[in-house]
Amino acid sequence: MAITSDVLVIGGGLAAVTAAVSAAREGADVRLVSHKASTLRQASGLIDALGYVPATEPAKPLRDGPPTAGRNLDPDEWPDPEGPLADPFDGIDRLPESHPYRVVGGEALRDGLDLFDDLAGDAYRGGHTDRNALVPTFGGAVKPTARYPAAAEAGLASDDRPMLVVGFRSLTEYDARAFAGRLEAAGVPFDVAGAEVEFAEAFRADAKITRLAKALDHDEAIDGTPAREALAKAVSPHLHDVVDGDGGVDRVERVGFPAFLGDDEGEEVREELADRLGADVFEIPMGPPSLPGLRLEDRLFDALDAEGVRFETGNPVVGVESAADGRVEAVAVDRKGRTAPYGADAFVLATGGLVGKGLDSDREGVREPVFDLYVDQPDDRYEWFVDDAFGDQPYARFGVRPDERCRPTDADGEAQYENVFAAGGVVGGADAAREKSASGVSLATGLEAGRQAATEANQ
Amino acid sequence: MTRHTEDDDAGDANGANDRSGDREGGRENPGRGGCGCGEPAPGVPQAGRDEQPSVFVTDGGDVPEADVTDDRDAARTGGESTADRAATDGGVESASGGTESATGGTDSAELDPEAYDPVDVFPGGDLDLREGADSCYKCTSCDTSCPVAEVDDEFPGPKFQGPEQWRLKRKEDHDIDESITSCSNCMRCDDACPSSVPLSQMHNEARGQYVERQMEKLSVEYIRNRILANYRTSASLASMFPRTASFAMNFGPARWAMEKVMGIPKERDFPEFATETFREWWKARGGANVENSDKRVAYFHGCYSNYNTPEVGKALVSVYEHFGYEVMVPPQKCSGTPMFANGMLKDARRHAETNVENLVEAIGEGADVIASCTSCSLSLRQEYPELFDLHGIEDLAEHTFEALEYLRIHENLEGELDAAGGLDDERAFAYHAPCHARNQGLSRQAVETFRDVDGVRMEDVGDSCSGISGTYGWKEEKYEKSMEIGAEMFEHMEDAEGEVGMTECPTCAMQMEHGTGYEIEHPLQLLEEALDA
């Protein structure tokens, strides 16, 4: 068997990269294998730790019998979540005991965030404090998050300077005026206006975000005008659109754009626009396709390279090749129809949750497909969910159950393999969407799993 | 999976006249065409599962009685209603099949709610690419990774070209959008898709249908594309008089005429033809120097290593013989990569027949198949079984590897390189990973293989596409886009310390040389040097 390493990390997202770097810094020789290009490109680029502590008990007892599939007979009632939290570390004690933060501890989250700060460098902000920042996202919601791209800095909701939000008709994902309206309705401490401008109209209506970013990166000429200048010209008539409470007109001090201001040259693009507009420029994190996510992916994979981690994408790990005495010796990697064994002293599973396909489900049950690890779940499929979409959905917390060393356990709470560790979305117990904790869980468990795997491999 | 039938002239059986509902393993039957009769392959059945009239079931699980009777009668008698039904849903079999599974058997008058499961509403059997289209959850990862969409807003991106267009063309009267010809077949969308939607397979199929049905066969574009796609044919002619050909192909006035008449950009230099092809060298050498029935490889050199860069093939032979392998060089034709990219599926299939036959024979003699070109290996491993239904094609896919990959799996390459002690003189390289290497998980293998070799400094110039994508950059109307896509790679190459480029892919190499003027080498050549093989 020719392909070996001390530690093999399976996955390509934030948890996998964190685990790989964490293990490499403990002196292990690390290889990372990811089935596809990293799904960080779908991520908003915000790094959440803990924004809310959602209720795990309904306000009144649930009705007996299966859910009514939305027919609203005797609907569930759930209390509102507690939050937004000012300090994520304060909320950890109030999470359920099986939550990954409770299992690995608040220190792991702190160390994970430190590691992230180190890898992200000057591209990210928020590391100066434990407290959450409030960042407006493209639906006009304000999200509590621990770290945010430098590009989003001027957009913070805690900043009281008047804001203009720019939109484009061909960008159907988002409407600038609705965005501004929602921010006002949320009671932000500043005046805000939204304006739709003509710029993206120079492209086809269905031009991809990457096309717009590329045009700004290269400052391509649009009908004879360089793209950055053309964009600034389109926005400048709206710099006085903000009307304050007394009907007075303010010149805005910051202008928000959807996150397409360049890919490789983002900083340069923002600077030039800010210079031309005489106002700070920021990006509003979007859903996929997400340039902030792509930029983060590039940065993290460069970091892998710098840490000496070997990585490959394109082939899935499909199962255990050989195991003995409660330890996995090698996993099978499917190389276009033929499997090849990849050996290691320790393995980190960071394949994601139900959406990331680290968990596989059908009508019979939910499984972990690589090591066939135990996934705690009700036998009756109707108990996987509750009627209220925003209630405490059991399926949201599905995943492997780690011990304090991040090793997935069997039904009796014993580690299933001595040398298999888990991190990120595949770890159960968190309701990331309601808690706003996905990135933090990846960082905390990734850091711990990587450390433990390196320790295991060094023995 | 949709496949082309054995018989090129098979029509699309959509089952309208197909009373028996008889199909062989999901393939269309030659000469049994329904409405789509006489349409050339590549063909897909015209009706998808989505055109199945759904069986209405109320909450209690009751099916209106009349419907059940209708369906049962239809199934028994093959009467008039069957023909109507068949025209929309693709066959008697599926019509009754749908009812059967939903109601627990055609003969049960009573419904058994226990046997009813919503997933059974649709019949099983051949799904074509339906399953792939259904797997798409519109995350746009493919669009984000598309190098063409980045520079060309006329190109709607892989999400449209793949699942969305696939759905549109299920119905009658939907032409395939011409933009499919702007896809360069770099296949990055495959690598990006978290749901394993077979995007490139969908693109290949749509492109094949477009070329087959909608492209003017006498147009300059078609003829030019056909010539580009059949590079092997031109190359084999040229290599009879290599020096003359190298001169004539790049002769100024001739190039001007080519651009004007054929639409081949005059900026590009045609590759030099070797004075001795790899196969000529192999023959003169007397074949393999090592015999070993336990370790055998069959070398698929492809066209470029044979006609243009035989030094790559020679390097492969000496490296593999160094490790004690017996190298076989079976008769072979083009892998089909340039043909897929131009929608010339019939040409590709013709070549595939030769390749599959000869390589499967070598596999029978205990060999694994190795390729030095990442596009060739990808074609044999992925596109062949996706597009053609030839005997042994799955075996071939399973036994094919890229040359460096194979050594990394089976030999202690790092140890050998260590023992060899590195290079005598220090050399620095700017390495570009071909898009087609990505899909095979090989985009980092060269950098990682040589990382610890003394005297080698290799820098990965990033994950951008070179932009040439085989024949794509050889089309006058695509030349500018091709260079725009490549701009990022050129910049990174200039920034890199090395003055020699490195890549596995011959057309990437052309683009790298064209954009920077660097010499370009193949990792096998460096491996030969480092091993002193």
Side-chain angles (χ1 to χ4, degrees):
Chain A
M1 179 165 50
I3 302 180
T4 56
S5 52
D6 295 346
V7 174
L8 183 75
V9 179
I10 307 166
L14 185 59
V17 173
T18 308
V21 172
S22 159
R25 290 189 174 180
E26 297 288 326
D29 164 45
V30 185
R31 182 188 300 277
L32 177 144
V33 179
S34 161
H35 180 194
K36 295 287 185 179
S38 174
T39 44
L40 279 165
R41 60 188 54 203
Q42 296 180 28
S44 67
L46 298 177
I47 302 294
D48 307 336
L50 185 64
Y52 296 89
V53 177
T56 53
E57 291 299 324
K60 60 169 199 190
L62 292 179
R63 185 179 41 78
D64 278 342
T68 59
R71 260 171 269 157
N72 260 346
L73 311 168
D74 193 15
D76 300 359
E77 276 178 36
W78 294 85
D80 284 338
E82 177 201 339
L85 300 178
D87 183 335
F89 294 95
D90 278 354
I92 292 180
D93 289 344
R94 297 196 294 285
L95 292 167
E97 250 177 56
S98 57
H99 194 285
Y101 284 161
R102 297 284 302 269
V103 177
V104 297
E107 276 312 299
L109 173 60
R110 195 177 296 279
D111 293 348
L113 285 165
D114 285 347
L115 178 65
F116 178 83
D117 290 338
D118 185 38
L119 298 181
D122 60 355
Y124 270 75
R125 300 281 188 272
H128 59 286
T129 172
D130 271 355
R131 300 172 66 83
N132 274 325
L134 294 172
V135 179
T137 61
F138 74 112
V142 173
K143 190 184 197 196
T145 189
R147 303 288 186 270
Y148 46 93
E153 189 175 25
L156 293 190
S158 48
D159 184 337
D160 59 6
R161 294 176 298 164
M163 176 194 285
L164 172 70
V165 181
V166 176
F168 308 91
R169 193 157 23 123
S170 58
L171 273 186
T172 51
E173 291 90 348
Y174 133 109
D175 181 281
R177 285 159 298 190
F179 177 99
R182 286 202 57 186
L183 279 186
E184 280 191 323
V188 291
F190 51 87
D191 296 315
V192 54
E196 203 155 79
V197 306
E198 296 273 329
F199 166 74
E201 281 63 26
F203 302 88
R204 268 182 62 130
D206 59 352
K208 305 285 167 254
I209 291 267
T210 48
R211 172 78 191 99
L212 303 175
K214 201 69 157 176
L216 289 164
D217 257 355
H218 295 176
D219 209 7
E220 285 174 29
I222 303 207
D223 300 330
T225 318
R228 297 171 196 175
E229 186 185 333
L231 181 54
K233 273 188 177 157
V235 174
S236 52
H238 298 281
L239 291 171
H240 291 87
D241 280 10
V242 173
V243 180
D244 64 24
D246 311 324
V249 173
D250 279 333
R251 189 182 193 286
V252 298
E253 291 173 50
R254 48 188 178 149
V255 181
F257 293 86
F260 67 56
L261 301 180
D263 179 3
D264 297 332
E265 308 295 338
E267 207 169 324
E268 204 179 292
V269 173
R270 286 199 316 279
E271 270 172 25
E272 178 166 343
L273 286 172
D275 196 37
R276 288 180 179 278
L277 293 171
D280 283 351
V281 165
F282 66 93
E283 284 188 337
I284 298 153
M286 308 273 290
S290 167
L291 280 155
L294 274 171
R295 295 179 198 133
L296 178 59
E297 175 186 332
D298 286 346
R299 196 151 190 116
L300 292 178
F301 275 76
D302 285 349
L304 282 184
D305 205 10
E307 300 282 339
V309 173
R310 283 168 293 173
F311 55 91
E312 61 182 69
T313 64
N315 296 315
V317 177
V318 291
V320 175
E321 173 83 19
S322 59
D325 307 329
R327 302 176 71 83
V328 174
E329 292 165 338
V331 292
V333 175
D334 181 350
R335 303 184 80 110
K336 301 265 171 224
R338 180 84 85 84
T339 61
Y342 280 48
D345 298 327
F347 298 83
V348 178
L349 181 72
T351 42
L354 287 161
V355 177
K357 298 187 169 54
L359 297 173
D360 193 8
S361 67
D362 59 20
R363 298 169 156 263
E364 306 307 315
V366 182
R367 286 170 308 281
E368 187 286 303
V370 176
F371 296 101
D372 196 22
L373 300 168
Y374 170 72
V375 179
D376 192 17
Q377 58 196 282
D379 289 334
D380 183 350
R381 187 157 51 90
Y382 284 101
E383 289 170 24
W384 292 1
F385 56 96
V386 295
D387 265 351
D388 181 6
F390 300 103
D392 190 57
Q393 297 287 358
Y395 70 78
R397 299 185 189 273
F398 283 176
V400 302
R401 294 280 176 222
D403 64 9
E404 67 288 349
R405 290 187 64 198
C406 277
R407 289 178 305 184
T409 55
D410 58 20
D412 304 325
E414 295 298 317
Q416 252 180 292
Y417 292 105
E418 289 295 315
N419 63 337
V420 172
F421 303 82
V426 73
V427 175
D431 186 345
R434 289 201 304 155
E435 295 163 355
K436 307 292 172 223
S437 63
S439 301
V441 168
S442 289
L443 291 171
T445 54
L447 180 105
E448 191 59 25
R451 257 187 208 160
Q452 295 290 348
T455 310
E456 189 70 29
N458 289 337
Q459 275 176 7
Chain B
M1 242 178 227
T2 307
R3 300 199 165 169
H4 294 162
T5 47
E6 300 278 357
D7 178 351
D8 262 354
D9 299 317
D12 296 337
N14 86 345
N17 302 329
D18 196 352
R19 290 286 153 89
S20 65
D22 170 31
R23 298 200 176 172
E24 9 166 320
R27 252 182 287 131
E28 302 110 57
N29 298 338
R32 282 197 155 200
C35 321
C37 194
E39 287 204 46
V44 286
Q46 293 295 304
R49 283 201 314 185
D50 45 339
E51 288 136 66
Q52 175 86 1
S54 60
V55 178
F56 175 76
V57 178
T58 57
D59 285 342
D62 295 326
V63 172
E65 198 57 38
D67 275 18
V68 178
T69 323
D70 269 354
D71 280 345
R72 248 186 298 133
D73 287 348
R76 282 205 199 108
T77 60
E80 205 43 51
S81 65
T82 309
D84 296 344
R85 174 67 50 88
T88 57
D89 75 3
V92 177
E93 189 187 39
S94 54
S96 60
T99 319
E100 226 171 272
S101 37
T103 60
T106 36
D107 292 327
S108 71
E110 293 306 308
L111 274 169
D112 178 8
E114 288 299 304
Y116 172 75
D117 199 352
V119 292
D120 288 341
V121 169
F122 296 115
D126 183 22
L127 294 183
D128 300 328
L129 296 170
R130 165 75 190 245
E131 207 177 346
D134 285 357
S135 301
C136 169
Y137 61 82
K138 303 275 182 278
C139 70
T140 68
S141 285
C142 53
D143 286 349
T144 327
S145 69
C146 175
V148 178
E150 227 176 47
V151 298
D152 181 4
D153 35 292
E154 295 296 318
F155 184 68
K159 183 159 66 71
F160 169 79
Q161 299 293 1
E164 290 168 9
Q165 173 138 285
W166 184 85
R167 283 195 197 91
L168 284 172
K169 70 189 174 75
R170 313 301 303 151
K171 312 280 180 187
E172 298 291 320
D173 290 337
H174 272 280
D175 277 354
I176 293 174
D177 193 73
E178 195 195 344
S179 61
I180 188 71
T181 58
S182 288
C183 160
S184 71
N185 204 34
C186 73
M187 300 166 88
R188 275 174 178 256
C189 42
D190 279 357
D191 184 43
C193 177
S195 296
S196 302
V197 173
L199 286 141
S200 64
Q201 188 181 6
M202 291 169 162
H203 290 37
N204 272 326
E205 186 191 70
R207 189 167 32 233
Q209 288 170 337
Y210 174 81
V211 169
E212 196 65 56
R213 295 174 192 172
Q214 288 161 240
M215 207 170 177
E216 187 52 61
K217 299 296 178 295
L218 293 173
S219 67
V220 167
E221 196 188 352
Y222 178 84
I223 295 167
R224 188 266 325 265
N225 288 359
R226 186 119 193 226
I227 292 174
L228 285 173
N230 285 276
Y231 174 75
R232 185 178 182 276
T233 311
S234 328
S236 68
L237 289 173
S239 68
M240 292 176 188
F241 307 99
R243 288 190 189 83
T244 323
S246 297
F247 171 77
M249 298 282 268
N250 289 309
F251 179 57
R255 292 311 314 276
W256 178 85
M258 267 189 223
E259 171 161 319
K260 288 291 165 251
V261 180
M262 299 298 297
I264 291 176
K266 63 176 179 302
E267 290 86 349
R268 289 210 184 269
D269 292 327
F270 274 97
E272 295 248 331
F273 291 98
T275 47
E276 184 188 41
T277 67
F278 171 76
R279 293 190 79 92
E280 286 165 359
W281 170 82
W282 179 252
K283 204 172 160 193
R285 182 183 194 245
N289 286 351
V290 174
E291 286 191 15
N292 183 349
S293 56
D294 297 331
K295 285 172 87 176
R296 265 186 192 153
V297 289
Y299 178 31
F300 187 87
H301 47 67
C303 312
Y304 206 79
S305 299
N306 185 33
Y307 296 115
N308 302 87
T309 54
E311 59 275 16
V312 172
K314 292 175 194 170
L316 179 136
V317 171
S318 67
V319 166
Y320 269 77
E321 291 191 340
H322 171 87
F323 282 103
Y325 284 89
E326 178 176 344
V327 179
M328 305 158 74
V329 184
Q332 55 191 264
K333 287 186 173 170
C334 170
S335 71
T337 301
M339 295 153 179
F340 301 137
N342 287 286
M344 310 283 175
L345 294 181
K346 279 186 181 171
D347 291 347
R349 187 195 168 86
R350 217 176 33 250
H351 286 243
E353 284 166 1
T354 307
N355 293 337
V356 173
E357 186 184 330
N358 290 304
L359 295 171
V360 164
E361 192 179 321
I363 293 169
E365 290 163 26
D368 281 321
V369 177
I370 50 163
S372 49
C373 162
T374 40
S375 297
C376 292
S377 63
L378 185 68
S379 173
L380 302 188
R381 292 171 127 175
Q382 182 178 322
E383 284 160 312
Y384 269 25
E386 277 181 358
L387 295 170
F388 306 125
D389 193 9
L390 297 169
H391 179 69
I393 207 159
E394 300 279 353
D395 282 346
L396 174 57
E398 271 179 35
H399 285 88
T400 301
F401 296 85
E402 193 275 339
L404 185 55
E405 170 194 25
Y406 192 77
L407 291 175
R408 275 166 57 96
I409 294 177
H410 295 285
E411 301 296 331
N412 180 6
L413 203 52
E414 278 171 30
E416 286 279 330
L417 282 166
D418 250 0
L423 299 187
D424 304 336
D425 299 314
E426 201 160 273
R427 300 185 66 190
F429 297 90
Y431 172 79
H432 164 75
C435 296
H436 288 177
R438 274 165 211 290
N439 297 28
Q440 300 168 77
L442 307 177
S443 60
R444 296 278 303 172
Q445 63 169 8
V447 173
E448 287 172 5
T449 300
F450 295 110
R451 175 181 275 167
D452 300 323
V453 175
D454 282 342
V456 178
R457 286 201 310 286
M458 195 179 291
E459 198 172 327
D460 188 341
V461 295
D463 59 0
S464 54
C465 172
S466 78
I468 192 167
S469 265
T471 59
Y472 184 83
W474 281 95
K475 299 171 184 173
E476 191 243 323
E477 71 278 12
K478 305 278 192 280
Y479 175 75
E480 228 169 272
K481 297 287 175 215
S482 154
M483 294 305 281
E484 219 174 306
I485 295 171
E488 199 177 314
M489 180 189 75
F490 302 144
E491 267 170 47
H492 291 169
M493 284 180 72
E494 301 286 354
D495 291 346
E497 175 195 8
E499 294 291 310
V500 177
M502 174 159 284
T503 188
E504 286 93 344
C505 168
T507 56
C508 289
M510 285 180 205
Q511 178 86 332
M512 291 163 80
E513 189 180 347
H514 181 61
T516 60
Y518 288 11
E519 286 286 305
I520 315 293
E521 283 189 23
H522 190 287
L524 285 168
Q525 293 168 275
L526 179 59
L527 192 58
E528 178 186 32
E529 193 180 337
L531 287 171
D532 260 330

